[in-house]
Amino acid sequence: MTKKTFSTAINDALHEAMRIDQSVICYGLGVTDPKAVFNTTSNLEKKFGSERVFDMPTSENAMTGVAIGAALNGIKSVITHQRIDFFLLAMDQIVNGAAKWHYMYGGQSSIPITIRLIIGRGWGQGPTHSQNLQAWFAHIPGLKVVMPTSPEDAKGMLLSSIFDPNPVIFLEHRWLHDTLGDVPSGDIRVPLGKAKIVKAGTDITLVTMSYMTVEAVHAANYLEEKGIVCEVIDLRTIKPLDWKTIMDSVAKTGRLLALDSGFTTGSVSGEVVARVAMEKFSILKSAPTRLAMPDVPEPTSLALTKGFYVRASNIAEKVMDMFGKNTSDIKKDLPEPSPHDVPGEWFKGPF
Amino acid sequence: MVHPIDSSSIENSLSLFHQMYRIRMVEEEISRRYPEGKMRCPVHLSTGQESIPAAFALSIKKNDFAVSTHRGHAHYLAKGGDLKAMIAEIYGKATGCSKGKGGSMHLIDLNVNFMGTSAIVGNSIPVGVGLALSAQLKGTDQISCIFLGDGAVEEGVFYESVNFAAVRKLPVLFICENNLYSVYSPLSVRQPKGRSIANMVDAIGVGTGTCNGDDIYSSQKLMQNAVNKVRSGTGPYFLEFSTYRWREHCGHDFDNDLGYRSEKEFLEWKSKDPLINLEESLYKTGVKLGEKVDSIKASINSEIISAFKFAETSKFPDQIEAYQDVYAKEELSK
Ligand SMILES: Cc1ncc(C[n+]2csc(CCOP(=O)(O)OP(=O)(O)O)c2C)c(N)n1
Ligand SMILES: [Mg+2]
């Protein structure tokens, strides 16, 4: 199988969906511009024409409602926004409209739309270009929330999202766009609502999502050297959440650390901790816990984001602490990369 | 054609030159140093669009309010915002105008009532209207100036804000810099062909004026008249200036090679550069004046060098400051 980047995998999925189904359309600011939303929408207009693939006015709310209306008559829209933050202008249409439509009209019509939103961290993106608001959407009944980590899942889950009969919020972490992985060709579907055990283990369950999975695996590899074998569960879908996989794992390990790329209060990780505490209290060997972003807007300055993000070192520290082990070497063993505000050398700036 | 300058307008022309040249040189210095990687935040430069903020600078009072957008350096400077604090902010330093929290897209200088800029398109428009409401409530003669791009008029909040300003006859001056693009998207894919933004706003019930931004004197006249009108209490006014961003949407470079617009289009706009035209006119008017221009340039250039030095040598904020200022602490009086 050929290795492909996460963004190529997204592009593959869009091509595939548009090829097999005439009713799929794709629009958003910049989808037809030369940068093609980090190359995720490349060649779509060329292949499928400007009726089905188009740029749009800077009108996030209206264009979400437009997708709802079109959906009522059988059009499956995939809308893209370069930052989740821009989509906040569309909360009315997505929350008051799309999310509840099927329910509030007695199940008669449904809204099969997919909203691709890019989340991130770092490189001076600052308070309004870096938010990870998955919990907001997960809070709303009727929305599905998807956060893939691997390129294969990105493709397979985007296809599943597009052909899901409900509104799906599809969150892509900017720091994953250039990561490589095997991506099968053709119409591959990865089911929504199913978590993936990316690393099997016996001692503690790490529940994670999206880019945090990368840090979690990094930490788990380190911890293994120290004699703690973590089971790492990549949620992949935030809503509906795959409780069975989590509960089965915790039943085995007796310990839970839930990770999150969003703010701490009201986070998805908080929900995971709550449910595990409620259902597995009697078998837990230590208090379930979580690591998420502080309840602070992300600052812009390079100096202020130092040590600001949850990193492999923080995860390892937390786990060692739960096992009553000495954590003094961790900062030295797992130093924050320098510069700390980019996913890798390739990243040269804001977009 | 470059004409010598009429003796009655020499002082004014020098002021315009000062404003435009200063903005241009600041943006170009950012652009020159940006690849060093020390300014680690997105920057949206106003190179090519300086005439509008320059006209603005000479038309408003210090206590008038202003808000702007992601492309806000020029407006901050034109309002009288502190240059050193702006550069330091872009460098993420503790001495920055937002203490490194906000970066290039969050500029503020309360000493000159420059109230903020936003990284979210359309976000600052109603805020400017609210500032106007406050001036009306307090019975001052302040006006509130709102900078926006052609893309921002596509947001619902724009219509809602203009409508409310009209209903309450608020002292708002909307200043739209129509540079034909929103990121790489031309107007043609975003707004109906041939429909002028100003005409549309006119239909909402707000007085409007339009001007070619390259015509610096007409731009200034229009701006001054509009400011006077708004200050007289007759309600909001909307100005649309045609202009052109020379450099890439976000970042330091040129990007005509991407293909979303043509090199030819860029060169056409560049050939009408109001700054160069004014500079040439000033030189042509006489040797004495030429010397004045030279001294303006020299003083601006050294001001800029020292602003960058200030930014580079300023301290980074302490890590702990990232967690401070989430909530305001001072209790309100009464
Ligand atoms: C609500 C929202 N949507 C999209 C964006 C992405 N964006 C950043 S700047 C920009 C261009 C806006 O164009 P315009 O208002 O004409 O300003 P210009 O950049 O041309 O000065 C866009 C679309 C954003 N910041 N906020
Ligand atoms: Mg524009």
Side-chain angles (χ1 to χ4, degrees), chain B residues 25-81:
Chain B
M25 288 301 131
V26 169
E27 297 290 58
E28 291 299 282
E29 190 60 16
I30 292 170
S31 174
R32 198 174 71 75
R33 299 193 192 213
Y34 199 65
E36 294 169 1
K38 292 193 221 162
M39 291 177 255
R40 281 177 106 74
C41 64
V43 290
H44 303 78
L45 304 180
S46 281
T47 311
Q49 305 189 187
E50 301 89 348
S51 62
I52 300 144
F56 166 79
L58 302 186
S59 306
I60 35 115
K61 295 189 190 169
K62 186 174 169 187
N63 72 342
D64 286 334
F65 293 112
V67 293
S68 174
T69 69
H70 56 285
R71 200 175 306 287
H73 300 175
H75 310 136
Y76 169 97
L77 293 173
K79 189 70 185 69

Side-chain angles (χ1 to χ4, degrees), chain A residues 199 203-204 206 216-230 257 312 315-321 323 325 330 334:
Chain A
K199 192 174 183 309
D203 300 335
I204 180 170
L206 305 185
V217 169
H218 195 32
N221 289 338
Y222 172 81
L223 288 164
E224 195 152 9
E225 289 167 24
K226 305 279 159 189
I228 301 172
V229 187
C230 305
L257 170 59
I315 299 166
E317 229 163 44
K318 194 85 172 180
V319 172
M320 295 281 266
D321 207 38
F323 282 86
K325 294 199 174 188
I330 293 178
L334 295 171

Side-chain angles (χ1 to χ4, degrees), chain A residues 33 55 58-60 300-301 341, chain B residues 40 92 100-101 154-155 185:
Chain A
D33 80 22
D55 205 332
T58 323
S59 309
E60 292 81 3
T300 302
S301 171
D341 62 341
Chain B
R40 281 177 106 74
K101 295 273 176 61
E154 293 151 19
E155 296 287 8
S185 307

Side-chain angles (χ1 to χ4, degrees), chain B residues 149-151 177 179-182:
Chain B
D150 49 290
E177 295 180 358
N179 61 10
L180 308 175
Y181 294 89
S182 165

Side-chain angles (χ1 to χ4, degrees), chain A residues 29-30 32-35 55-61 82 85-86 89 123-129 294-309 339-342 349-351, chain B residues 34 39-43 89 91-93 99-106 119-121 151-152 154-157 182-186 189-190 248 250 258-260 316-319 321-323 326:
Chain A
L29 275 183
T32 60
D33 80 22
K35 297 265 176 96
D55 205 332
M56 66 171 216
T58 323
S59 309
E60 292 81 3
N61 197 28
Q82 312 240 11
D85 318 73
F86 309 159
L89 277 72
W123 213 94
Q125 297 301 312
T128 61
H129 274 51
D295 285 327
V296 169
E298 178 166 331
T300 302
S301 171
L302 178 73
L304 294 174
T305 54
K306 238 185 160 76
F308 192 75
Y309 309 113
H340 65 272
D341 62 341
V342 291
F351 274 75
Chain B
Y34 199 65
M39 291 177 255
R40 281 177 106 74
C41 64
V43 290
E89 185 62 31
Y91 274 82
K93 297 299 179 76
K99 300 182 190 160
K101 295 273 176 61
S104 157
M105 295 194 285
H106 299 99
I120 300 297
V121 171
E154 293 151 19
E155 296 287 8
V157 73
S182 165
V183 192
Y184 311 118
S185 307
V189 302
R190 301 180 289 116
E248 60 188 334
C250 178
L258 285 179
Y260 74 99
F316 277 112
D318 287 336
Q319 257 169 270
E321 286 178 39
Y323 306 90
V326 177

